[in-house]
Amino acid sequence: MVDTERLKFEAWQEALKARGLTFNIEDYIPLVGYSSEAIADSIKELSGATFNEKELILEKDTIYHTNQKPGVPVLDDAVSFLKDLINTKNRLNIKLALVSSAEHKEIKVNLERIGITAADFDAVLSGKDDLKPLYGERDVNKPLPYIYQLCSEKLSIPPENCLVFEDTNAGVLAAVGTGMAAIATQNDFTREHVFTGAISKRSFKKMKISEFVNEQPSSISTSLFSLLSNTKENPVGSEQNQRDFFL
């Protein structure tokens, strides 16, 4: 809904520069969508450098939250689609959840930026916060499936009846690993991501709810049913199905 990736990249870059390390956008792109812990581990492995990961992440987070305060760029097409969903979900008898790797406080700030509150959703889940009571300090955020498993439980909806929109390969892997169908909605930082297991790659531009849910409440649309049936055999990323959808 908002473009946080550039601010996150710049925060990582500044924190690493203070440690004498160069971090380019090409280094960051494959890591987009992964937890801070996973990114720090990857940086340490690739650079061969020695640093305190917790201190690095804390400094990165401080820089990010400082840069976030003036406002994060809004993804207008995504927000428009989300608001349409919010306005019609009760009539269509569908449930709507927000599932993020970020902390709840960051989610709250970003929702305020687009004029939406947590009350507009049936569930708002943070991979950073909501998994801690279950797994402690272990890094079990995306691409592991636990946050989407928790979401399924919170909504009381089985995974096979859920449709997920994700803009990173890590997010798609988490959703698919739970048994959910995932549509990849790439951003400027994830255009080269493979999106393993996604049923299609789409843009929010001109996307309509009727493509996924019929006017008859709780009824899956014919176009989505056909897409699901086809991609069970030929998922995005396979040689048989290389179709991209940008409307």
Side-chain angles (χ1 to χ4, degrees):
M1 303 303 117
V2 293
D3 184 9
T4 60
E5 295 305 340
R6 184 162 294 280
L7 291 183
K8 290 178 180 178
F9 162 66
E10 291 172 351
W12 278 112
Q13 190 176 49
E14 185 175 339
L16 288 164
K17 184 178 180 181
R19 290 160 175 77
L21 296 174
T22 300
F23 190 61
N24 298 317
I25 197 165
E26 293 80 10
D27 302 317
Y28 180 62
I29 284 175
L31 304 175
V32 172
Y34 288 81
S35 68
S36 294
E37 292 77 10
I39 291 174
D41 283 342
S42 180
I43 292 169
K44 180 176 281 189
E45 181 179 348
L46 292 173
S47 66
T50 301
F51 53 78
N52 185 299
E53 293 184 23
K54 288 186 177 181
E55 291 179 0
L56 171 65
I57 292 170
L58 179 61
E59 184 176 342
K60 181 269 299 181
D61 286 343
T62 300
I63 295 167
Y64 171 75
H65 290 306
T66 299
N67 295 342
Q68 183 192 26
K69 288 179 181 178
V72 180
V74 175
L75 302 175
D76 292 325
D77 293 329
V79 172
S80 178
F81 183 76
L82 173 59
K83 289 183 175 180
D84 285 344
L85 272 175
I86 290 171
N87 291 333
T88 59
K89 72 183 186 69
N90 289 335
R91 178 171 60 82
L92 296 175
N93 193 29
I94 59 176
K95 292 185 178 180
L96 181 64
L98 174 61
V99 179
S100 173
S101 297
E103 297 173 310
H104 275 296
K105 64 180 181 181
E106 181 182 337
I107 295 171
K108 183 176 182 292
V109 169
N110 290 333
L111 286 177
E112 289 174 351
R113 172 74 172 148
I114 60 177
I116 292 173
T117 70
D120 292 314
F121 298 88
D122 296 286
V124 175
L125 295 172
S126 159
K128 187 75 172 178
D129 296 330
D130 293 319
L131 294 176
K132 278 188 177 180
L134 301 175
Y135 300 100
E137 295 300 319
R138 288 174 51 203
D139 180 18
V140 290
N141 218 326
K142 300 175 185 178
L144 296 176
Y146 302 113
I147 191 62
Y148 277 116
Q149 290 174 351
L150 182 61
C151 180
S152 175
E153 294 172 7
K154 292 284 187 182
L155 296 179
S156 298
I157 297 176
E160 60 269 22
N161 290 346
C162 297
L163 177 64
V164 176
F165 296 88
E166 271 284 1
D167 63 354
T168 69
N169 189 51
V172 168
L173 287 170
V176 172
T178 313
M180 298 178 178
I183 291 178
T185 57
Q186 61 193 22
N187 59 50
D188 288 343
F189 280 77
T190 61
R191 293 192 184 280
E192 302 303 319
H193 282 202
V194 177
F195 297 112
T196 306
I199 62 174
S200 76
K201 290 189 287 185
R202 296 288 302 272
S203 165
F204 279 114
K205 190 174 184 179
K206 296 183 180 180
M207 194 183 290
K208 297 179 180 179
I209 297 172
S210 58
E211 297 178 58
F212 311 104
V213 182
N214 285 332
E215 286 300 307
Q216 181 180 351
S218 300
S219 175
I220 190 170
S221 71
T222 303
S223 59
L224 179 58
F225 179 79
S226 298
L227 187 58
L228 285 166
S229 299
N230 180 58
T231 52
K232 280 182 180 179
E233 297 298 327
N234 303 314
V236 168
S238 72
E239 294 181 0
Q240 291 81 10
N241 188 356
Q242 290 292 341
R243 295 176 300 167
D244 292 347
F245 297 86
F246 301 102
L247 303 184

Coordinates of all heavy atoms in Angstrom, one line a residue, residues 14-59:
E14 N 23.0 3.1 5.1 CA 23.6 4.1 6.0 C 24.2 3.4 7.2 O 25.3 3.7 7.7 CB 22.6 5.1 6.5 CG 23.2 6.2 7.3 CD 22.2 7.3 7.7 OE1 21.2 7.4 6.9 OE2 22.4 8.0 8.7
A15 N 23.5 2.4 7.8 CA 23.9 1.6 8.9 C 25.2 0.8 8.6 O 26.1 0.7 9.4 CB 22.8 0.7 9.4
L16 N 25.2 0.3 7.4 CA 26.4 -0.5 7.0 C 27.6 0.4 6.6 O 28.8 0.0 6.9 CB 26.0 -1.4 5.8 CG 25.1 -2.6 6.1 CD1 24.5 -3.1 4.8 CD2 25.9 -3.7 6.8
K17 N 27.3 1.6 6.1 CA 28.4 2.5 5.8 C 29.1 2.9 7.0 O 30.4 3.0 7.0 CB 27.8 3.7 5.1 CG 28.9 4.7 4.6 CD 28.3 5.9 3.9 CE 29.3 6.9 3.5 NZ 28.7 8.1 2.8
A18 N 28.4 3.0 8.1 CA 29.1 3.4 9.4 C 30.0 2.3 9.9 O 30.8 2.5 10.8 CB 28.0 3.6 10.5
R19 N 29.8 1.1 9.3 CA 30.7 -0.1 9.6 C 31.7 -0.4 8.5 O 32.3 -1.4 8.5 CB 29.8 -1.3 9.9 CG 29.0 -1.2 11.2 CD 27.8 -2.1 11.3 NE 27.2 -2.0 12.6 CZ 26.4 -1.0 13.0 NH1 26.1 0.0 12.1 NH2 25.9 -1.0 14.2
G20 N 31.8 0.6 7.6 CA 32.8 0.5 6.6 C 32.4 -0.5 5.4 O 33.3 -0.9 4.7
L21 N 31.1 -0.7 5.3 CA 30.7 -1.7 4.3 C 29.9 -1.0 3.2 O 29.0 -0.1 3.5 CB 29.8 -2.8 4.9 CG 30.5 -3.7 5.9 CD1 29.5 -4.6 6.6 CD2 31.6 -4.5 5.2
T22 N 30.1 -1.3 2.0 CA 29.3 -0.8 0.8 C 28.1 -1.7 0.6 O 28.3 -2.9 0.5 CB 30.2 -0.7 -0.4 OG1 31.3 0.1 -0.1 CG2 29.4 -0.2 -1.6
F23 N 27.0 -1.1 0.4 CA 25.7 -1.9 0.2 C 25.0 -1.2 -0.9 O 24.5 -0.1 -0.8 CB 24.9 -1.9 1.5 CG 23.8 -2.9 1.4 CD1 24.0 -4.3 1.2 CD2 22.5 -2.4 1.6 CE1 22.9 -5.1 1.2 CE2 21.4 -3.3 1.6 CZ 21.6 -4.7 1.4
N24 N 24.9 -1.9 -2.1 CA 24.3 -1.3 -3.3 C 22.9 -1.8 -3.4 O 22.5 -2.9 -2.9 CB 25.1 -1.6 -4.5 CG 26.5 -1.0 -4.5 OD1 26.6 0.2 -4.0 ND2 27.5 -1.7 -4.8
I25 N 22.1 -1.1 -4.3 CA 20.7 -1.6 -4.5 C 20.7 -3.0 -5.1 O 19.7 -3.7 -4.8 CB 20.0 -0.5 -5.4 CG1 18.5 -0.7 -5.3 CG2 20.5 -0.6 -6.8 CD1 17.7 0.4 -5.8
E26 N 21.7 -3.3 -5.9 CA 21.7 -4.6 -6.5 C 21.9 -5.7 -5.4 O 21.5 -6.9 -5.6 CB 22.9 -4.7 -7.5 CG 22.7 -3.9 -8.8 CD 23.1 -2.4 -8.5 OE1 23.6 -2.1 -7.5 OE2 22.7 -1.6 -9.5
D27 N 22.6 -5.3 -4.3 CA 22.7 -6.3 -3.2 C 21.4 -6.5 -2.4 O 21.2 -7.5 -1.9 CB 23.8 -5.7 -2.2 CG 25.1 -5.5 -2.9 OD1 25.6 -6.4 -3.7 OD2 25.8 -4.5 -2.6
Y28 N 20.6 -5.4 -2.4 CA 19.4 -5.4 -1.6 C 18.2 -6.1 -2.3 O 17.4 -6.8 -1.7 CB 19.0 -4.0 -1.3 CG 17.7 -3.9 -0.4 CD1 17.7 -4.4 0.8 CD2 16.6 -3.2 -0.9 CE1 16.5 -4.3 1.6 CE2 15.5 -3.1 -0.1 CZ 15.4 -3.6 1.1 OH 14.3 -3.5 1.9
I29 N 18.1 -6.0 -3.6 CA 16.9 -6.4 -4.4 C 16.6 -7.9 -4.1 O 15.5 -8.3 -3.8 CB 17.1 -6.2 -5.9 CG1 16.8 -4.7 -6.1 CG2 16.1 -7.0 -6.7 CD1 17.0 -4.2 -7.5
P30 N 17.6 -8.8 -4.1 CA 17.3 -10.3 -3.8 C 16.8 -10.5 -2.4 O 16.2 -11.6 -2.1 CB 18.6 -11.0 -4.1 CG 19.4 -10.1 -4.9 CD 19.0 -8.7 -4.4
L31 N 17.0 -9.5 -1.5 CA 16.7 -9.7 -0.1 C 15.4 -9.1 0.3 O 14.9 -9.3 1.4 CB 17.8 -9.1 0.8 CG 19.2 -9.6 0.5 CD1 20.3 -8.9 1.3 CD2 19.3 -11.1 0.8
V32 N 14.8 -8.4 -0.6 CA 13.5 -7.7 -0.3 C 12.5 -8.7 0.1 O 12.2 -9.7 -0.5 CB 13.0 -6.8 -1.5 CG1 11.6 -6.3 -1.3 CG2 14.0 -5.7 -1.8
G33 N 11.8 -8.4 1.2 CA 10.7 -9.2 1.7 C 11.1 -10.1 2.8 O 10.3 -10.7 3.5
Y34 N 12.4 -10.3 3.0 CA 13.0 -11.1 4.1 C 13.1 -10.3 5.4 O 13.1 -9.1 5.4 CB 14.3 -11.7 3.7 CG 14.2 -12.8 2.7 CD1 14.1 -12.5 1.3 CD2 14.2 -14.2 3.0 CE1 13.9 -13.5 0.3 CE2 14.0 -15.2 2.1 CZ 13.9 -14.8 0.7 OH 13.8 -15.8 -0.2
S35 N 13.2 -11.0 6.5 CA 13.3 -10.4 7.8 C 14.6 -9.7 7.9 O 15.6 -10.0 7.2 CB 13.1 -11.4 8.9 OG 14.2 -12.3 9.0
S36 N 14.7 -8.7 8.9 CA 15.9 -8.0 9.1 C 17.0 -9.0 9.5 O 18.2 -8.8 9.2 CB 15.7 -7.0 10.2 OG 14.9 -5.9 9.8
E37 N 16.6 -10.0 10.3 CA 17.6 -11.0 10.8 C 18.2 -11.8 9.6 O 19.4 -12.0 9.5 CB 17.0 -11.9 11.8 CG 16.6 -11.3 13.1 CD 15.3 -10.5 13.1 OE1 14.6 -10.5 12.1 OE2 15.1 -9.8 14.1
A38 N 17.3 -12.2 8.7 CA 17.8 -12.9 7.5 C 18.6 -12.0 6.6 O 19.6 -12.5 6.0 CB 16.6 -13.4 6.7
I39 N 18.3 -10.8 6.5 CA 19.1 -9.9 5.6 C 20.4 -9.6 6.3 O 21.5 -9.7 5.6 CB 18.3 -8.5 5.5 CG1 17.1 -8.7 4.6 CG2 19.3 -7.5 4.8 CD1 16.2 -7.5 4.5
A40 N 20.5 -9.4 7.6 CA 21.8 -9.2 8.2 C 22.7 -10.5 8.1 O 23.9 -10.4 7.9 CB 21.5 -8.9 9.7
D41 N 22.1 -11.7 8.2 CA 22.8 -12.9 8.1 C 23.4 -13.0 6.7 O 24.6 -13.4 6.5 CB 21.9 -14.1 8.3 CG 21.6 -14.4 9.8 OD1 22.4 -13.9 10.6 OD2 20.7 -15.1 10.1
S42 N 22.6 -12.6 5.7 CA 23.1 -12.7 4.3 C 24.2 -11.7 4.0 O 25.2 -12.1 3.3 CB 21.9 -12.4 3.3 OG 22.3 -12.5 2.0
I43 N 24.0 -10.5 4.5 CA 25.1 -9.5 4.4 C 26.4 -10.0 5.0 O 27.5 -9.8 4.4 CB 24.7 -8.2 5.0 CG1 23.5 -7.6 4.2 CG2 25.8 -7.2 5.0 CD1 22.8 -6.4 4.8
K44 N 26.3 -10.6 6.2 CA 27.5 -11.0 6.9 C 28.2 -12.2 6.1 O 29.4 -12.2 5.9 CB 27.1 -11.5 8.3 CG 28.3 -12.1 9.1 CD 27.9 -12.5 10.5 CE 27.8 -11.3 11.4 NZ 27.6 -11.6 12.8
E45 N 27.4 -13.0 5.5 CA 27.9 -14.2 4.8 C 28.5 -13.7 3.5 O 29.6 -14.2 3.1 CB 26.8 -15.2 4.5 CG 27.2 -16.4 3.7 CD 26.1 -17.4 3.4 OE1 25.0 -17.2 4.0 OE2 26.3 -18.3 2.6
L46 N 27.9 -12.8 2.8 CA 28.4 -12.4 1.5 C 29.6 -11.4 1.6 O 30.5 -11.5 0.7 CB 27.3 -11.6 0.7 CG 26.1 -12.5 0.3 CD1 25.0 -11.6 -0.3 CD2 26.5 -13.5 -0.8
S47 N 29.6 -10.6 2.6 CA 30.7 -9.7 2.8 C 31.9 -10.2 3.5 O 33.0 -9.7 3.4 CB 30.2 -8.4 3.5 OG 29.9 -8.7 4.9
G48 N 31.7 -11.3 4.4 CA 32.7 -11.8 5.2 C 33.1 -10.9 6.4 O 34.1 -11.2 7.1
A49 N 32.2 -9.9 6.6 CA 32.5 -9.0 7.7 C 32.0 -9.5 9.0 O 31.2 -10.4 9.1 CB 31.8 -7.6 7.4
T50 N 32.6 -8.9 10.1 CA 32.2 -9.3 11.4 C 31.5 -8.1 12.1 O 32.1 -7.0 12.1 CB 33.4 -9.7 12.3 OG1 34.0 -10.8 11.6 CG2 32.9 -10.1 13.7
F51 N 30.3 -8.2 12.5 CA 29.5 -7.1 13.2 C 28.5 -7.8 14.1 O 28.1 -8.9 13.9 CB 28.9 -6.1 12.2 CG 28.1 -6.8 11.1 CD1 26.8 -7.2 11.4 CD2 28.6 -6.9 9.8 CE1 26.0 -7.7 10.4 CE2 27.8 -7.5 8.8 CZ 26.5 -7.9 9.1
N52 N 28.0 -7.0 15.0 CA 26.9 -7.4 15.9 C 25.6 -7.2 15.2 O 25.2 -6.0 14.9 CB 27.0 -6.6 17.2 CG 25.9 -7.0 18.2 OD1 24.7 -7.0 17.9 ND2 26.4 -7.4 19.4
E53 N 24.9 -8.3 14.9 CA 23.7 -8.2 14.0 C 22.6 -7.4 14.7 O 21.9 -6.6 14.1 CB 23.2 -9.6 13.7 CG 24.2 -10.3 12.7 CD 23.6 -11.7 12.3 OE1 22.4 -11.9 12.4 OE2 24.4 -12.5 11.9
K54 N 22.4 -7.6 16.0 CA 21.4 -6.9 16.8 C 21.6 -5.4 16.8 O 20.6 -4.6 16.6 CB 21.2 -7.5 18.2 CG 20.6 -8.9 18.3 CD 20.4 -9.3 19.7 CE 19.7 -10.7 19.8 NZ 19.5 -11.1 21.2
E55 N 22.9 -5.0 17.0 CA 23.2 -3.6 17.0 C 22.9 -3.0 15.6 O 22.4 -1.9 15.5 CB 24.6 -3.4 17.4 CG 24.9 -3.7 18.9 CD 26.3 -3.5 19.3 OE1 27.1 -3.1 18.4 OE2 26.6 -3.7 20.5
L56 N 23.3 -3.7 14.5 CA 23.1 -3.3 13.2 C 21.6 -3.1 12.9 O 21.2 -2.0 12.3 CB 23.7 -4.3 12.2 CG 23.4 -4.0 10.7 CD1 24.0 -2.7 10.2 CD2 23.9 -5.2 9.8
I57 N 20.8 -4.0 13.2 CA 19.4 -4.0 13.0 C 18.7 -2.8 13.8 O 17.9 -2.1 13.2 CB 18.7 -5.3 13.3 CG1 19.2 -6.4 12.3 CG2 17.2 -5.2 13.3 CD1 18.8 -7.8 12.7
L58 N 19.2 -2.6 15.0 CA 18.6 -1.6 15.8 C 19.0 -0.2 15.2 O 18.1 0.7 15.1 CB 19.2 -1.6 17.2 CG 18.8 -0.5 18.2 CD1 17.2 -0.6 18.4 CD2 19.5 -0.7 19.5
E59 N 20.2 0.0 14.7 CA 20.6 1.2 14.1 C 19.8 1.4 12.8 O 19.3 2.5 12.5 CB 22.1 1.2 13.8 CG 22.6 2.6 13.2 CD 24.1 2.6 13.1 OE1 24.8 1.8 13.7 OE2 24.5 3.5 12.3

